[in-house]
Amino acid sequence: MARLRDCLPRLMVTIRSLLFWSLVYCYCGLCASIYLLKLLWSIGKGPAQTFRRVAREHPPACLNDPSLGTHCYVRIKDSGLRFHYVAAGERGKPLMLLLHGFPEFWYSWRHQLREFKCEYRVVALDLRGYGETDAPIQRENYKLDCLITDIKDILDSLGYSKCVLIGHDWGGMIAWLIAICYPEVVVKLIVINFPHPNVFTEYILRHPAQLFKSSYYYFFQIPWFPEFMFSINDFKALKHLFTSHSTGIGRKGYQLTTEDLEAYIYVFSQPGALSGPINHYRNIFSCLPLKHHLVATPTLLLWGEKDAFMEAEMAEVTKIYVKNYFRLTILSEASHWLQQEQPDIVNKVIWTFLKEETKKKD
């Protein structure tokens, strides 16, 4: 009987693991079926239009706007990967490191590059696999451990031991993990529209609404098909994410200009440009939940109340994982793309957080 009691916890862990992976693969299959039907419908309506792609050989002028900063590259010694970033502000000033989400790249921080360069060396990075940063082919090269190590190595390569770290969406996930694993390098943590990783994993399993909103996480587990679906109809899905009424930028704030949108399409229409970004998601279910999860850094969490991909309740729950000063600011009528849609408000809130003294929780 005692032996049975000893085995019972391990058995429960095994059963939970089996149920979890059954859910993942079943939902992957469901998502694939839905997108396959969408593809067939599109082909039926107009096969020529479905497979049409406009050649984009030259970047839009906005990507070389000198007011945004200088294009730079750094090669990491251990991984051998070359990372691209845009830097604004004088060398020697405190570092502000910006981590973008999906499907974005350094340009999503254009408003912050201009705003904070007066007091910071602002660096907007292209994450591993994105934009002009090197993109390893194997999905194993996009495990969370690799992504965390990238940021630590980049800090060292830039000659900094600490920074103000800001992340949006998937970049927010990485920012949380850096603050958890390397608290000594993060002076202040600012995350936009992504909850603490453990909140996300627990919430998604208990709330069908969030499971539905995160369906793309499951769809991305399938090889090559997600990349193909993003590219059909001349990247219509990408345009839809940024411009549609349900998910897009510009309900109450700034709207993407035609040139802004073309910048995104240019970057992701390059050969193989979608595989690296989607590979980030292909390892996530084997890495969460986290064993170590407490955050000891003063933290600001910014949230767009009308986020089409994240339930706002997760923002409130996040505070239990931060064992330091925690501030939550929810912007009503704002979408998922907060730093692009409401840059004036976002920048003001960030300035306030950076200037204020933050006292650790007792």
Side-chain angles (χ1 to χ4, degrees):
M1 196 70 180
R3 191 174 178 182
L4 180 61
R5 280 198 301 269
D6 291 340
C7 293
L8 194 58
R10 282 178 293 179
L11 180 62
M12 292 303 295
V13 169
T14 304
I15 291 171
R16 285 187 65 183
S17 179
L18 286 171
L19 288 172
F20 174 72
W21 285 107
S22 297
L23 172 65
V24 169
Y25 286 114
C26 286
Y27 203 30
C28 283
L30 176 62
C31 292
S33 301
I34 292 169
Y35 281 100
L36 182 59
L37 289 173
K38 288 184 177 181
L39 173 61
L40 294 173
W41 176 259
S42 179
I43 293 172
K45 286 175 64 180
Q49 179 68 20
T50 298
F51 299 107
R52 183 182 70 91
R53 285 183 61 175
V54 175
R56 294 175 173 88
E57 297 179 1
H58 304 291
C62 61
L63 295 183
N64 293 308
D65 183 348
S67 72
L68 295 177
T70 306
H71 289 261
C72 308
Y73 300 87
V74 60
R75 189 171 295 278
I76 304 303
K77 193 178 294 183
D78 290 342
S79 68
L81 297 179
R82 189 184 77 156
F83 283 79
H84 169 254
Y85 63 93
V86 172
E90 296 174 11
R91 296 178 186 271
K93 288 182 176 179
L95 179 65
M96 176 182 284
L97 186 59
L98 310 176
L99 310 179
H100 63 78
F102 175 88
E104 297 174 293
F105 62 112
W106 71 265
Y107 188 68
S108 67
W109 298 109
R110 58 197 176 279
H111 302 292
Q112 288 68 44
L113 282 162
R114 292 190 181 103
E115 176 71 21
F116 295 102
K117 66 182 179 182
C118 57
E119 292 192 23
Y120 290 89
R121 174 71 169 172
V122 188
V123 169
L125 189 67
D126 276 343
L127 296 174
R128 176 184 290 226
Y130 281 84
E132 294 183 56
T133 291
D134 287 347
I137 296 173
Q138 300 300 322
R139 60 182 285 178
E140 290 76 19
N141 291 318
Y142 295 87
K143 288 183 177 179
L144 290 176
D145 288 347
C146 298
L147 307 179
I148 296 166
T149 304
D150 284 345
I151 307 306
K152 181 67 167 60
D153 289 345
I154 285 165
L155 272 175
D156 294 339
S157 298
L158 294 176
Y160 285 88
S161 60
K162 55 184 65 177
C163 69
V164 170
L165 187 60
I166 307 182
H168 169 247
D169 183 70
W170 184 259
M173 159 84 87
I174 298 172
W176 281 115
L177 296 175
I178 292 291
I180 291 166
C181 299
Y182 299 106
E184 71 280 2
V185 308
V186 185
V187 178
K188 288 193 174 183
L189 174 67
I190 300 167
V191 179
I192 302 174
N193 282 81
F194 201 94
H196 185 284
N198 275 20
V199 173
F200 179 71
T201 352
E202 292 163 9
Y203 195 91
I204 200 173
L205 293 174
R206 296 175 183 172
H207 297 81
Q210 184 57 52
L211 187 67
F212 177 75
K213 288 182 176 183
S214 301
S215 59
Y216 62 98
Y217 277 67
Y218 297 86
F219 179 53
F220 287 170
Q221 305 309 305
I222 303 163
W224 70 263
F225 190 48
E227 290 93 321
F228 174 72
M229 287 300 295
F230 259 96
S231 67
I232 63 171
N233 289 303
D234 194 35
F235 296 88
K236 182 180 178 180
L238 185 62
K239 298 170 189 174
H240 183 270
L241 274 177
F242 287 119
T243 61
S244 73
H245 179 73
S246 58
T247 65
I249 297 171
R251 288 192 186 93
K252 295 289 183 180
Y254 284 63
Q255 293 185 344
L256 285 186
T257 65
T258 302
E259 191 177 36
D260 291 337
L261 185 58
E262 189 58 31
Y264 282 98
I265 299 169
Y266 168 78
V267 166
F268 289 104
S269 66
Q270 300 308 301
L274 282 165
S275 292
I278 292 175
N279 276 337
H280 279 245
Y281 292 85
R282 288 179 170 139
N283 293 286
I284 187 171
F285 292 113
S286 60
C287 301
L288 297 175
L290 306 172
K291 293 179 181 177
H292 306 289
H293 51 250
L294 296 180
V295 177
T297 306
T299 301
L300 167 65
L301 179 58
L302 281 155
W303 204 275
E305 190 177 37
K306 300 299 183 182
D307 190 327
F309 308 102
M310 295 283 173
E311 294 273 294
E313 188 179 343
M314 290 191 289
E316 299 282 355
V317 182
T318 287
K319 64 184 176 185
I320 68 173
Y321 288 98
V322 181
K323 300 307 177 185
N324 203 315
Y325 177 87
F326 176 78
R327 178 177 175 183
L328 170 62
T329 299
I330 298 177
L331 302 186
S332 61
E333 301 301 317
S335 75
H336 180 73
W337 318 101
L338 205 54
Q339 83 276 21
Q340 298 187 72
E341 181 184 298
Q342 303 277 2
D344 296 338
I345 298 173
V346 167
N347 292 346
K348 184 178 179 181
V349 173
I350 291 175
W351 272 126
T352 302
F353 176 68
L354 292 175
K355 299 290 186 183
E356 66 188 355
E357 293 294 325
T358 51
K359 295 181 180 179
K360 191 170 182 178
K361 289 179 184 176
D362 296 329

